[in-house]
Amino acid sequence: MNSNKKFISFEGIDGSGKTTQINLLCEKLIKIGEKVSVFREPGGTIISEKIRRFLLDKTNYNLSSEAETLLFLASRNQLITEKLKNKLDKGEYVIFDRFNDSTIAYQGYGFGLDIKHLKILSNFATFGLEPYKTFFLDISVEESLVRRSGNKSDRIEQKGEKYLNKVREGFKIIAKENPRRIIEIDALNGLDELSKFIWSKFKEIYDIKV
Ligand code: Z5A
């Protein structure tokens, strides 16, 4: 088995249901006796969580797009170095709530930073590691706003509807460019239906017979 075969990521715009579906998938894996670790991005280590707080802090309103990008990548590099490699070496499943696709979608397509440069930088930060499979949960920006209504928005969520539309389109382009890795899912469906679909795909990918 490839060393990254048990490395999976979930992607999508804010409120697309990543965290919910990751939790449901983990429950199923644990039930059949599998070991699984989940890491959110940015975050997942003491240092990466410090970077997360800084990135989401609304008082850092004048953080430049380039500095923001480098901080996301710094957080990711720390997480890979401290946790990911070790877990994969042990043969455990590792699920990331966001990875490089988020940087390309939010900082590249969202902000307009050069995608070619972002890919080179991401490659450096991640030692060229890629998830084996990525579940991209696609919802409309309108649905994202409904699902998040009532929540306080952080520095990135404040960027508004137009920005989020560019990010969503970015994810769709990335999915088209990577059809073998990325499984695009219409995430407007109900929780259970989505969870069943993801589990059936998962079982197919890893040849799990239950
Ligand atoms: N970011 C970046 O710009 N560049 C990068 O490289 C990286 C990240 C790695 C991280 O914020 C922010 O950083 C994020 C991207 C940026 N920005 N924004 N804006 P975060 O980790 O705090 O937020 P998030 O990743 O966007 O998570 P989220 O908003 O919590 O969304 P989610 O995990 O995808 O959704 P959820 O929590 O599972 O569900 C949201 C709500 O919808 C909740 O009330 C659920 O009960 C409900 N839900 C879920 N599924 C359904 C269905 N199927 N139907 C109806 N309602 C549902």
Side-chain angles (χ1 to χ4, degrees):
M1 196 177 263
N2 298 339
S3 64
N4 75 332
K5 190 153 185 197
K6 288 188 163 177
F7 175 28
I8 301 120
S9 64
F10 277 67
E11 297 280 4
I13 60 171
D14 325 3
S16 53
K18 293 174 280 80
T19 313
T20 307
Q21 290 305 325
I22 289 171
N23 290 340
L24 291 168
L25 177 60
C26 282
E27 277 175 23
K28 293 185 170 83
L29 283 170
I30 290 166
K31 225 181 198 163
I32 60 164
E34 293 290 348
K35 283 205 169 144
V36 54
S37 300
V38 177
F39 297 106
R40 67 172 180 182
E41 276 228 59
T45 71
I46 291 171
I47 291 171
S48 306
E49 288 293 332
K50 283 184 185 167
I51 299 175
R52 178 188 176 88
R53 280 197 289 282
F54 184 87
L55 276 165
L56 301 184
D57 183 348
K58 278 195 262 193
T59 62
N60 294 323
Y61 58 88
N62 61 349
L63 184 66
S64 75
S65 309
E66 288 80 4
E68 176 179 298
T69 304
L70 293 169
L71 286 167
F72 277 117
L73 295 179
S75 165
R76 185 165 308 142
N77 177 271
Q78 190 67 32
L79 177 56
I80 291 173
T81 307
E82 266 190 56
K83 304 272 172 84
L84 177 68
K85 286 182 167 176
N86 183 26
K87 299 274 178 197
L88 290 176
D89 287 347
K90 285 186 186 159
E92 298 176 14
Y93 285 104
V94 183
I95 303 179
F96 268 40
D97 191 337
R98 301 191 178 283
F99 197 65
N100 281 343
D101 296 336
S102 280
T103 310
I104 305 294
Y106 281 84
Q107 281 65 48
Y109 289 101
F111 279 148
L113 293 189
D114 185 84
I115 309 270
K116 208 167 69 218
H117 285 149
L118 284 180
K119 285 185 180 167
I120 294 167
L121 286 172
S122 297
N123 208 37
F124 171 73
T126 59
F127 311 101
L129 252 173
E130 259 206 338
Y132 182 65
K133 292 288 170 191
T134 296
F135 292 96
F136 161 40
L137 304 187
D138 182 43
I139 58 167
S140 62
V141 170
E142 293 72 28
E143 176 68 10
S144 163
L145 296 176
V146 170
R147 289 191 191 175
R148 285 170 32 227
S149 62
N151 293 359
K152 274 194 195 153
S153 47
D154 58 45
R155 193 184 59 82
I156 292 173
E157 284 165 348
Q158 278 186 325
K159 295 188 193 298
E161 223 171 307
K162 206 168 150 202
Y163 172 72
L164 213 50
N165 261 312
K166 288 192 207 163
V167 174
R168 182 189 180 202
E169 285 316 307
F171 274 125
K172 285 180 157 299
I173 295 169
I174 299 167
K176 266 211 185 84
E177 287 172 351
N178 297 275
R180 283 166 69 90
R181 173 173 63 86
I182 301 182
I183 299 156
E184 181 172 344
I185 301 171
D186 179 353
L188 285 178
N189 292 323
L191 294 186
D192 288 344
E193 196 180 328
L194 285 171
S195 173
K196 273 189 195 138
F197 179 78
I198 291 169
W199 185 229
S200 74
K201 280 280 169 202
F202 198 92
K203 286 195 295 182
E204 197 181 301
I205 296 161
Y206 294 103
D207 198 23
I208 296 172
K209 308 236 186 295
V210 280

